[in-house]
Coordinates of all heavy atoms in Angstrom, one line a residue:
Y132 N -109.5 -134.3 -36.4 CA -109.7 -133.6 -37.6 C -110.5 -132.3 -37.4 O -110.1 -131.2 -37.9 CB -110.4 -134.5 -38.6 CG -110.6 -134.0 -39.9 CD1 -109.6 -133.7 -40.8 CD2 -111.9 -133.6 -40.2 CE1 -109.8 -133.1 -42.0 CE2 -112.2 -133.0 -41.5 CZ -111.1 -132.9 -42.4 OH -111.4 -132.3 -43.6
D133 N -111.6 -132.4 -36.6 CA -112.4 -131.2 -36.4 C -111.7 -130.1 -35.6 O -111.8 -129.0 -35.9 CB -113.7 -131.6 -35.6 CG -114.7 -132.3 -36.5 OD1 -114.7 -132.2 -37.8 OD2 -115.5 -133.0 -35.9
I134 N -110.8 -130.5 -34.7 CA -110.0 -129.6 -33.9 C -109.0 -128.8 -34.8 O -108.8 -127.6 -34.6 CB -109.4 -130.2 -32.7 CG1 -108.7 -129.2 -31.8 CG2 -108.4 -131.3 -33.1 CD1 -109.7 -128.3 -31.1
L135 N -108.4 -129.5 -35.7 CA -107.5 -128.9 -36.7 C -108.2 -127.9 -37.6 O -107.7 -126.8 -37.8 CB -106.7 -129.8 -37.4 CG -105.6 -130.6 -36.6 CD1 -105.0 -131.7 -37.5 CD2 -104.7 -129.7 -36.0
N136 N -109.4 -128.3 -38.1 CA -110.1 -127.3 -38.9 C -110.6 -126.1 -38.1 O -110.6 -125.0 -38.7 CB -111.4 -128.0 -39.5 CG -111.0 -128.9 -40.6 OD1 -110.0 -128.8 -41.3 ND2 -111.9 -130.0 -40.8
S137 N -111.0 -126.3 -36.8 CA -111.4 -125.2 -36.1 C -110.1 -124.3 -35.8 O -110.3 -123.1 -35.8 CB -111.9 -125.6 -34.7 OG -113.1 -126.4 -34.9
F138 N -109.0 -124.9 -35.5 CA -107.7 -124.1 -35.2 C -107.4 -123.2 -36.4 O -107.1 -122.1 -36.4 CB -106.6 -125.1 -34.9 CG -105.3 -124.4 -34.9 CD1 -105.0 -123.7 -33.9 CD2 -104.3 -124.7 -35.9 CE1 -103.7 -123.0 -33.7 CE2 -103.1 -124.1 -35.9 CZ -102.8 -123.3 -34.9
I139 N -107.4 -123.9 -37.7 CA -107.2 -123.2 -38.9 C -108.1 -121.9 -39.1 O -107.8 -120.8 -39.3 CB -107.2 -124.1 -40.1 CG1 -106.0 -125.1 -40.0 CG2 -107.1 -123.3 -41.5 CD1 -106.0 -126.2 -41.0
K140 N -109.4 -122.2 -38.9 CA -110.4 -121.2 -39.1 C -110.3 -120.1 -38.1 O -110.3 -118.9 -38.3 CB -111.8 -121.8 -39.0 CG -112.9 -120.8 -39.2 CD -114.2 -121.5 -39.1 CE -115.4 -120.5 -39.0 NZ -116.6 -121.1 -38.5
D141 N -110.3 -120.6 -36.8 CA -110.4 -119.5 -35.7 C -109.1 -118.8 -35.4 O -109.0 -117.7 -35.0 CB -110.7 -120.2 -34.3 CG -112.2 -120.8 -34.4 OD1 -112.9 -120.4 -35.3 OD2 -112.5 -121.7 -33.7
I142 N -107.9 -119.4 -35.7 CA -106.6 -118.8 -35.3 C -105.9 -118.4 -36.5 O -105.4 -117.2 -36.6 CB -105.7 -119.8 -34.5 CG1 -106.5 -120.2 -33.2 CG2 -104.4 -119.2 -34.1 CD1 -106.8 -119.1 -32.3
I143 N -105.6 -119.3 -37.5 CA -104.8 -119.0 -38.6 C -105.4 -117.9 -39.6 O -105.0 -116.9 -39.9 CB -104.5 -120.2 -39.4 CG1 -103.7 -121.2 -38.5 CG2 -103.5 -119.9 -40.6 CD1 -102.5 -120.7 -37.8
I144 N -106.7 -118.3 -40.0 CA -107.4 -117.4 -41.0 C -107.8 -116.1 -40.3 O -107.7 -115.0 -40.8 CB -108.7 -118.1 -41.5 CG1 -108.1 -119.3 -42.4 CG2 -109.5 -117.1 -42.3 CD1 -109.3 -120.1 -42.9
E145 N -108.2 -116.1 -39.0 CA -108.5 -114.9 -38.2 C -107.3 -114.1 -37.9 O -107.4 -113.1 -37.2 CB -109.4 -115.3 -37.1 CG -110.8 -115.8 -37.5 CD -111.7 -114.8 -38.1 OE1 -111.7 -113.6 -37.8 OE2 -112.5 -115.2 -39.0
E146 N -106.1 -114.6 -38.1 CA -104.9 -114.0 -37.8 C -104.7 -113.7 -36.2 O -104.3 -112.6 -35.9 CB -104.6 -112.8 -38.6 CG -104.5 -113.1 -40.1 CD -104.1 -112.0 -41.0 OE1 -103.6 -110.9 -40.4 OE2 -104.2 -112.1 -42.1
K147 N -105.1 -114.7 -35.4 CA -104.9 -114.5 -33.9 C -103.7 -115.4 -33.5 O -103.7 -115.9 -32.5 CB -106.2 -115.1 -33.3 CG -107.4 -114.2 -33.7 CD -108.6 -114.9 -32.9 CE -109.9 -114.0 -33.3 NZ -111.1 -114.6 -32.8
R148 N -102.7 -115.5 -34.3 CA -101.5 -116.3 -34.0 C -100.7 -115.7 -32.8 O -99.8 -116.4 -32.3 CB -100.6 -116.3 -35.2 CG -101.2 -117.2 -36.3 CD -100.6 -117.1 -37.6 NE -101.1 -116.0 -38.3 CZ -100.8 -115.6 -39.5 NH1 -99.9 -116.2 -40.2 NH2 -101.3 -114.6 -39.9
A149 N -101.0 -114.6 -32.3 CA -100.3 -114.1 -31.1 C -100.7 -114.8 -29.8 O -99.9 -114.7 -28.9 CB -100.6 -112.5 -31.0
L150 N -101.8 -115.4 -29.9 CA -102.2 -116.2 -28.7 C -101.2 -117.4 -28.5 O -100.6 -117.8 -29.4 CB -103.6 -116.8 -29.0 CG -104.8 -115.8 -29.1 CD1 -106.1 -116.5 -29.5 CD2 -105.0 -115.0 -27.9
D151 N -101.2 -117.9 -27.3 CA -100.3 -119.0 -27.0 C -100.8 -120.3 -26.9 O -100.1 -121.3 -26.9 CB -99.3 -118.7 -25.7 CG -100.2 -118.7 -24.4 OD1 -101.5 -118.6 -24.6 OD2 -99.6 -118.7 -23.5
S152 N -102.2 -120.4 -26.9 CA -102.8 -121.7 -26.8 C -104.3 -121.5 -27.3 O -104.8 -120.4 -27.4 CB -102.8 -122.3 -25.5 OG -103.6 -121.6 -24.6
Y153 N -104.9 -122.7 -27.7 CA -106.3 -122.7 -28.2 C -106.9 -123.9 -27.6 O -106.4 -125.0 -27.8 CB -106.1 -122.8 -29.7 CG -107.4 -122.9 -30.5 CD1 -108.4 -121.9 -30.5 CD2 -107.8 -124.1 -31.1 CE1 -109.6 -122.0 -31.2 CE2 -109.0 -124.2 -31.8 CZ -109.9 -123.2 -31.9 OH -111.1 -123.3 -32.5
A154 N -108.1 -123.7 -27.0 CA -108.8 -124.8 -26.4 C -110.2 -125.0 -27.0 O -110.9 -123.9 -27.2 CB -108.9 -124.6 -24.9
K155 N -110.4 -126.2 -27.4 CA -111.8 -126.4 -28.1 C -112.0 -127.9 -28.1 O -111.0 -128.7 -28.3 CB -111.9 -125.8 -29.5 CG -113.2 -125.8 -30.1 CD -113.3 -124.8 -31.2 CE -114.8 -124.7 -31.6 NZ -114.9 -123.7 -32.5
L156 N -113.3 -128.3 -28.0 CA -113.6 -129.8 -28.1 C -112.8 -130.7 -27.2 O -112.6 -131.8 -27.6 CB -113.5 -130.2 -29.6 CG -114.3 -129.4 -30.7 CD1 -113.9 -129.8 -32.0 CD2 -115.8 -129.6 -30.4
G157 N -112.5 -130.2 -26.1 CA -111.8 -131.0 -25.1 C -110.3 -131.2 -25.3 O -109.6 -132.0 -24.7
Y158 N -109.7 -130.4 -26.3 CA -108.3 -130.4 -26.5 C -107.7 -129.0 -26.4 O -108.4 -128.0 -26.4 CB -108.1 -130.8 -28.1 CG -108.4 -132.3 -28.3 CD1 -109.6 -132.7 -28.7 CD2 -107.3 -133.2 -28.1 CE1 -109.9 -134.0 -29.0 CE2 -107.6 -134.6 -28.4 CZ -108.9 -134.9 -28.8 OH -109.2 -136.2 -29.1
I159 N -106.4 -129.0 -26.1 CA -105.7 -127.8 -26.1 C -104.6 -127.9 -27.2 O -103.9 -129.0 -27.4 CB -104.9 -127.6 -24.7 CG1 -106.0 -127.4 -23.6 CG2 -104.0 -126.4 -24.8 CD1 -105.4 -127.2 -22.2
L160 N -104.4 -126.8 -28.0 CA -103.4 -126.8 -29.0 C -102.5 -125.7 -28.7 O -102.8 -124.6 -28.4 CB -104.0 -126.6 -30.4 CG -104.7 -127.7 -31.2 CD1 -105.9 -128.2 -30.5 CD2 -104.8 -127.4 -32.6
K161 N -101.2 -126.0 -28.9 CA -100.1 -125.1 -28.8 C -99.4 -125.1 -30.1 O -99.2 -126.1 -30.7 CB -99.2 -125.3 -27.6 CG -99.9 -125.0 -26.3 CD -98.9 -124.9 -25.1 CE -99.8 -124.6 -23.9 NZ -99.3 -123.5 -23.1
W162 N -98.7 -124.0 -30.5 CA -98.1 -124.0 -31.8 C -96.8 -123.1 -31.8 O -96.7 -122.3 -30.9 CB -99.0 -123.6 -32.9 CG -99.6 -122.1 -32.6 CD1 -99.1 -120.9 -33.1 CD2 -100.7 -121.8 -31.9 NE1 -99.9 -119.9 -32.7 CE2 -100.9 -120.4 -31.9 CE3 -101.7 -122.6 -31.2 CZ2 -101.9 -119.8 -31.3 CZ3 -102.7 -121.9 -30.6 CH2 -102.8 -120.5 -30.6
K163 N -96.0 -123.4 -32.7 CA -94.7 -122.7 -33.0 C -94.7 -122.2 -34.5 O -94.8 -123.1 -35.3 CB -93.5 -123.5 -32.6 CG -92.2 -122.9 -33.0 CD -91.6 -122.1 -31.9 CE -90.3 -121.7 -32.2 NZ -89.7 -120.8 -31.4
L164 N -94.5 -120.9 -34.7 CA -94.4 -120.5 -36.1 C -93.0 -120.5 -36.5 O -92.0 -120.1 -35.7 CB -94.9 -119.0 -36.2 CG -96.3 -118.7 -35.8 CD1 -96.6 -117.3 -35.8 CD2 -97.2 -119.4 -36.8
Q165 N -92.7 -121.0 -37.6 CA -91.4 -121.0 -38.3 C -91.5 -120.1 -39.5 O -91.9 -120.6 -40.6 CB -91.0 -122.5 -38.6 CG -89.5 -122.8 -38.6 CD -88.5 -121.9 -39.2 OE1 -88.9 -121.1 -40.1 NE2 -87.3 -121.9 -38.9
T166 N -91.3 -118.8 -39.3 CA -91.6 -117.8 -40.3 C -90.7 -117.9 -41.6 O -91.1 -117.7 -42.7 CB -91.5 -116.4 -39.8 OG1 -90.2 -116.3 -39.2 CG2 -92.6 -116.2 -38.7
E167 N -89.4 -118.4 -41.4 CA -88.5 -118.5 -42.6 C -89.0 -119.5 -43.6 O -88.8 -119.4 -44.7 CB -87.1 -118.8 -42.1 CG -86.4 -117.6 -41.4 CD -86.4 -117.8 -39.9 OE1 -86.5 -119.0 -39.4 OE2 -86.4 -116.8 -39.2
L168 N -89.6 -120.6 -43.1 CA -90.1 -121.6 -43.8 C -91.6 -121.7 -44.1 O -92.1 -122.5 -44.8 CB -89.7 -123.0 -43.2 CG -88.2 -123.3 -43.0 CD1 -88.0 -124.5 -42.3 CD2 -87.5 -123.2 -44.3
N169 N -92.3 -120.7 -43.5 CA -93.8 -120.6 -43.6 C -94.4 -121.8 -43.1 O -95.3 -122.4 -43.7 CB -94.2 -120.3 -45.1 CG -93.7 -118.9 -45.4 OD1 -93.8 -117.9 -44.7 ND2 -93.3 -118.8 -46.7
L170 N -94.0 -122.3 -42.0 CA -94.5 -123.5 -41.4 C -95.0 -123.2 -39.9 O -94.6 -122.4 -39.3 CB -93.5 -124.6 -41.3 CG -93.0 -125.2 -42.5 CD1 -91.8 -126.1 -42.2 CD2 -94.1 -126.0 -43.2
I171 N -96.1 -124.0 -39.6 CA -96.6 -124.0 -38.2 C -96.5 -125.4 -37.6 O -97.1 -126.3 -38.3 CB -98.0 -123.4 -38.2 CG1 -98.1 -122.0 -38.8 CG2 -98.6 -123.4 -36.8 CD1 -99.5 -121.6 -38.9
F172 N -95.9 -125.5 -36.6 CA -95.8 -126.8 -35.8 C -96.8 -126.8 -34.8 O -96.8 -125.8 -33.9 CB -94.4 -127.1 -35.3 CG -93.4 -127.2 -36.3 CD1 -92.7 -126.0 -36.8 CD2 -93.0 -128.4 -36.9 CE1 -91.8 -126.1 -37.8 CE2 -92.1 -128.5 -37.9 CZ -91.5 -127.4 -38.4
V173 N -97.7 -127.8 -34.7 CA -98.8 -127.8 -33.7 C -98.7 -129.0 -32.8 O -98.4 -130.2 -33.3 CB -100.1 -127.7 -34.4 CG1 -101.3 -127.8 -33.4 CG2 -100.2 -126.5 -35.4
A174 N -99.0 -128.8 -31.5 CA -99.1 -130.0 -30.6 C -100.5 -129.9 -30.1 O -100.9 -128.9 -29.6 CB -98.1 -129.9 -29.5
A175 N -101.2 -131.0 -30.0 CA -102.6 -131.2 -29.5 C -102.6 -132.2 -28.4 O -102.0 -133.2 -28.6 CB -103.5 -131.5 -30.6
Y176 N -103.3 -131.9 -27.3 CA -103.4 -132.9 -26.3 C -104.7 -132.6 -25.6 O -105.4 -131.6 -25.6 CB -102.2 -132.7 -25.3 CG -102.0 -131.4 -24.7 CD1 -102.4 -131.0 -23.5 CD2 -101.1 -130.5 -25.4 CE1 -102.3 -129.8 -22.9 CE2 -100.9 -129.2 -24.8 CZ -101.5 -128.8 -23.6 OH -101.3 -127.6 -23.1
K177 N -105.1 -133.6 -24.9 CA -106.5 -133.6 -24.1 C -106.4 -132.6 -23.1 O -105.3 -132.4 -22.5 CB -106.7 -135.0 -23.5 CG -107.1 -136.1 -24.4 CD -108.6 -135.9 -24.8 CE -109.1 -137.1 -25.6 NZ -110.4 -137.0 -25.9
E178 N -107.4 -131.9 -22.9 CA -107.5 -130.8 -21.9 C -107.3 -131.3 -20.5 O -106.8 -130.5 -19.7 CB -108.9 -130.2 -22.0 CG -108.9 -128.7 -21.5 CD -110.2 -128.0 -21.9 OE1 -111.1 -128.6 -22.4 OE2 -110.2 -126.8 -21.9
L179 N -107.6 -132.5 -20.2 CA -107.4 -133.0 -18.8 C -106.0 -133.3 -18.6 O -105.6 -133.4 -17.4 CB -108.3 -134.2 -18.7 CG -109.8 -134.1 -18.7 CD1 -110.5 -135.4 -18.6 CD2 -110.3 -133.1 -17.7
S180 N -105.2 -133.5 -19.6 CA -103.7 -133.8 -19.3 C -103.1 -132.4 -19.3 O -103.2 -131.6 -20.1 CB -103.2 -134.6 -20.6 OG -103.9 -135.7 -20.7
H181 N -102.2 -132.3 -18.2 CA -101.5 -131.1 -18.1 C -100.1 -131.3 -18.6 O -99.3 -131.9 -18.0 CB -101.5 -130.6 -16.6 CG -100.8 -129.3 -16.4 ND1 -101.0 -128.2 -17.2 CD2 -100.0 -128.9 -15.5 CE1 -100.3 -127.2 -16.8 NE2 -99.7 -127.6 -15.7
M182 N -99.9 -130.8 -19.8 CA -98.5 -131.0 -20.4 C -97.6 -129.8 -20.1 O -97.9 -128.7 -20.5 CB -98.7 -131.1 -21.9 CG -99.7 -132.3 -22.4 SD -99.0 -133.8 -22.0 CE -97.7 -134.0 -23.3
V183 N -96.6 -130.1 -19.4 CA -95.7 -129.0 -18.9 C -94.7 -128.6 -20.0 O -94.4 -127.4 -20.1 CB -94.9 -129.4 -17.6 CG1 -94.0 -128.4 -17.1 CG2 -96.0 -129.8 -16.5
F184 N -94.1 -129.5 -20.8 CA -93.0 -129.2 -21.7 C -93.4 -129.1 -23.1 O -92.6 -129.3 -24.0 CB -92.0 -130.3 -21.5 CG -91.5 -130.4 -20.1 CD1 -91.8 -131.5 -19.3 CD2 -90.6 -129.4 -19.6 CE1 -91.3 -131.5 -18.0 CE2 -90.1 -129.5 -18.3 CZ -90.4 -130.5 -17.5
V185 N -94.6 -128.6 -23.4 CA -95.1 -128.6 -24.9 C -94.3 -127.5 -25.5 O -93.9 -127.8 -26.7 CB -96.6 -128.3 -24.9 CG1 -97.1 -128.1 -26.3 CG2 -97.4 -129.4 -24.3
E186 N -94.1 -126.4 -24.9 CA -93.3 -125.4 -25.6 C -91.9 -125.7 -26.0 O -91.5 -125.5 -27.1 CB -93.3 -124.0 -24.8 CG -94.6 -123.3 -24.7 CD -95.5 -123.8 -23.6 OE1 -95.0 -124.5 -22.8 OE2 -96.6 -123.4 -23.6
E187 N -91.2 -126.5 -25.0 CA -89.9 -127.0 -25.2 C -89.9 -128.1 -26.4 O -89.0 -128.0 -27.2 CB -89.3 -127.6 -24.0 CG -89.0 -126.5 -23.0 CD -90.2 -126.1 -22.1 OE1 -91.3 -126.6 -22.2 OE2 -90.0 -125.3 -21.2
L188 N -91.0 -128.9 -26.4 CA -91.1 -129.9 -27.4 C -91.2 -129.3 -28.8 O -90.6 -129.7 -29.7 CB -92.3 -130.8 -27.2 CG -92.5 -131.9 -28.2 CD1 -91.5 -132.9 -28.3 CD2 -93.9 -132.6 -27.8
L189 N -92.1 -128.3 -28.9 CA -92.3 -127.6 -30.2 C -91.0 -126.9 -30.6 O -90.7 -126.9 -31.8 CB -93.5 -126.6 -30.1 CG -94.8 -127.2 -30.0 CD1 -95.8 -126.1 -29.6 CD2 -95.2 -127.8 -31.4
D190 N -90.2 -126.3 -29.7 CA -89.0 -125.6 -30.0 C -88.0 -126.6 -30.6 O -87.3 -126.5 -31.5 CB -88.4 -124.9 -28.8 CG -89.1 -123.7 -28.4 OD1 -89.9 -123.1 -29.3 OD2 -88.9 -123.3 -27.3
M191 N -87.9 -127.8 -29.9 CA -86.9 -128.9 -30.4 C -87.3 -129.4 -31.7 O -86.5 -129.6 -32.6 CB -87.0 -130.0 -29.4 CG -86.2 -129.7 -28.1 SD -86.2 -131.0 -26.8 CE -86.8 -132.5 -27.5
I192 N -88.7 -129.7 -32.0 CA -89.1 -130.2 -33.3 C -89.0 -129.1 -34.4 O -88.4 -129.5 -35.5 CB -90.6 -130.5 -33.3 CG1 -90.7 -131.8 -32.3 CG2 -91.2 -130.8 -34.6 CD1 -92.2 -132.0 -32.0
C193 N -89.2 -127.9 -34.1 CA -89.0 -126.8 -35.1 C -87.5 -126.7 -35.4 O -87.1 -126.7 -36.6 CB -89.5 -125.5 -34.5 SG -89.4 -124.1 -35.7
K194 N -86.7 -126.7 -34.4 CA -85.2 -126.6 -34.7 C -84.6 -127.8 -35.5 O -83.9 -127.7 -36.4 CB -84.5 -126.4 -33.4 CG -83.0 -126.3 -33.6 CD -82.3 -126.2 -32.2 CE -80.8 -126.2 -32.4 NZ -80.0 -126.1 -31.1
D195 N -85.0 -129.0 -35.0 CA -84.6 -130.2 -35.8 C -85.1 -130.3 -37.2 O -84.3 -130.6 -38.0 CB -85.2 -131.4 -35.0 CG -84.5 -132.7 -35.5 OD1 -83.3 -132.8 -35.5 OD2 -85.3 -133.6 -35.8
F196 N -86.3 -129.9 -37.4 CA -86.8 -129.9 -38.8 C -86.1 -128.8 -39.6 O -85.7 -129.2 -40.8 CB -88.3 -129.5 -38.8 CG -88.9 -129.6 -40.2 CD1 -89.3 -130.8 -40.7 CD2 -88.9 -128.5 -41.0 CE1 -89.9 -130.8 -42.0 CE2 -89.4 -128.4 -42.2 CZ -89.9 -129.7 -42.7
S197 N -85.8 -127.6 -39.1 CA -85.2 -126.6 -39.8 C -83.8 -127.0 -40.1 O -83.3 -126.8 -41.3 CB -85.1 -125.3 -39.0 OG -86.5 -124.9 -38.8
T198 N -83.0 -127.6 -39.3 CA -81.6 -127.9 -39.5 C -81.4 -129.2 -40.3 O -80.6 -129.2 -41.1 CB -80.8 -127.9 -38.2 OG1 -81.4 -128.9 -37.3 CG2 -80.8 -126.6 -37.5
N199 N -82.2 -130.3 -39.9 CA -81.9 -131.6 -40.5 C -82.8 -131.8 -41.7 O -82.3 -132.0 -42.8 CB -82.2 -132.7 -39.5 CG -81.2 -132.6 -38.3 OD1 -80.0 -132.2 -38.5 ND2 -81.6 -132.8 -37.1
V200 N -84.1 -131.8 -41.5 CA -85.0 -132.2 -42.6 C -85.0 -131.2 -43.8 O -84.8 -131.5 -44.9 CB -86.4 -132.4 -42.1 CG1 -87.4 -132.7 -43.2 CG2 -86.4 -133.6 -41.0
F201 N -85.3 -129.9 -43.4 CA -85.3 -128.9 -44.5 C -83.9 -128.7 -45.1 O -83.9 -128.6 -46.4 CB -85.8 -127.6 -43.9 CG -85.8 -126.5 -44.9 CD1 -86.8 -126.5 -45.9 CD2 -84.8 -125.5 -45.0 CE1 -86.8 -125.5 -46.8 CE2 -84.8 -124.5 -46.0 CZ -85.8 -124.5 -46.9
G202 N -82.9 -128.8 -44.4 CA -81.6 -128.6 -45.0 C -81.2 -129.7 -46.0 O -80.7 -129.5 -47.1
Q203 N -81.7 -130.9 -45.6 CA -81.4 -132.1 -46.5 C -82.3 -132.1 -47.8 O -81.9 -132.3 -48.9 CB -81.7 -133.4 -45.7 CG -81.4 -134.7 -46.5 CD -81.6 -135.9 -45.8 OE1 -82.2 -135.9 -44.7 NE2 -81.1 -137.0 -46.2
I204 N -83.6 -131.6 -47.6 CA -84.5 -131.5 -48.7 C -84.0 -130.5 -49.7 O -83.9 -130.7 -50.9 CB -85.9 -131.2 -48.3 CG1 -86.5 -132.4 -47.5 CG2 -86.8 -130.9 -49.5 CD1 -87.9 -132.0 -46.8
S205 N -83.7 -129.4 -49.2 CA -83.2 -128.2 -50.1 C -81.9 -128.6 -50.8 O -81.7 -128.2 -51.9 CB -83.1 -127.0 -49.3 OG -82.1 -127.0 -48.3
Q206 N -81.0 -129.3 -50.2 CA -79.7 -129.6 -50.8 C -80.0 -130.7 -51.9 O -79.3 -130.7 -52.9 CB -78.8 -130.2 -49.8 CG -78.2 -129.1 -48.9 CD -77.3 -129.6 -47.8 OE1 -77.1 -130.9 -47.7 NE2 -76.7 -128.8 -47.0
E207 N -80.8 -131.7 -51.6 CA -80.9 -132.8 -52.5 C -81.9 -132.5 -53.8 O -81.6 -132.9 -54.8 CB -81.6 -134.0 -51.8 CG -80.7 -134.7 -50.8 CD -81.3 -135.8 -50.0 OE1 -82.5 -136.1 -50.3 OE2 -80.7 -136.3 -49.2
N208 N -82.8 -131.7 -53.6 CA -83.9 -131.4 -54.6 C -83.8 -130.0 -55.2 O -84.6 -129.6 -55.9 CB -85.2 -131.7 -54.0 CG -85.4 -133.2 -53.6 OD1 -84.9 -134.1 -54.3 ND2 -86.1 -133.5 -52.6
G209 N -83.0 -129.2 -54.6 CA -83.0 -127.8 -54.9 C -84.3 -127.0 -54.7 O -84.7 -126.1 -55.3
V210 N -85.0 -127.5 -53.7 CA -86.3 -126.8 -53.2 C -85.9 -125.6 -52.4 O -85.1 -125.6 -51.7 CB -87.0 -128.0 -52.4 CG1 -88.4 -127.2 -51.9 CG2 -87.3 -129.1 -53.1
F211 N -86.9 -124.6 -52.6 CA -86.7 -123.4 -51.9 C -85.5 -122.6 -52.4 O -84.9 -121.9 -51.9 CB -86.9 -123.5 -50.4 CG -88.1 -124.1 -50.0 CD1 -88.1 -125.4 -49.6 CD2 -89.3 -123.5 -50.0 CE1 -89.3 -126.1 -49.3 CE2 -90.5 -124.1 -49.6 CZ -90.5 -125.4 -49.3

């Protein structure tokens, strides 16, 4: 919880979204902006764990959400 609050304060509010990662409190956060939907997908992992495929995972989640979940929500509820 504290790491997400720090991320929002230090990166999102300060508009430092051009960075590719954020390290604090023993965690590393990586994110993917989905500008059309105004969403940010975030992956957090322990700093000691070296995660190689985080960017690919975020790309897959963003794409899947955009095509499947968002498409279904907008069709069923007239949202957005």
Side-chain angles (χ1 to χ4, degrees):
Y132 179 73
D133 289 337
I134 188 68
L135 290 176
N136 285 335
S137 296
F138 171 73
I139 291 167
K140 179 184 170 199
D141 296 343
I142 302 297
I143 304 302
I144 293 175
E145 296 290 326
E146 297 188 12
K147 297 179 183 174
R148 288 168 274 186
L150 299 173
D151 66 347
S152 66
Y153 174 71
K155 191 162 189 171
L156 302 172
Y158 289 92
I159 296 176
L160 277 72
K161 293 195 177 231
W162 58 92
K163 170 89 176 171
L164 298 174
Q165 214 307 343
T166 54
E167 292 97 28
L168 302 177
N169 292 321
L170 293 173
I171 301 172
F172 296 90
V173 180
Y176 55 94
K177 288 281 194 176
E178 200 166 16
L179 297 176
S180 304
H181 184 41
M182 303 293 286
V183 179
F184 299 106
V185 174
E186 289 87 5
E187 291 85 358
L188 174 65
L189 287 169
D190 287 338
M191 288 176 12
I192 292 170
C193 183
K194 181 181 176 186
D195 189 54
F196 182 87
S197 298
T198 57
N199 296 322
V200 177
F201 179 74
Q203 185 176 14
I204 291 171
S205 61
Q206 288 175 357
E207 290 177 1
N208 299 320
V210 178
F211 301 103

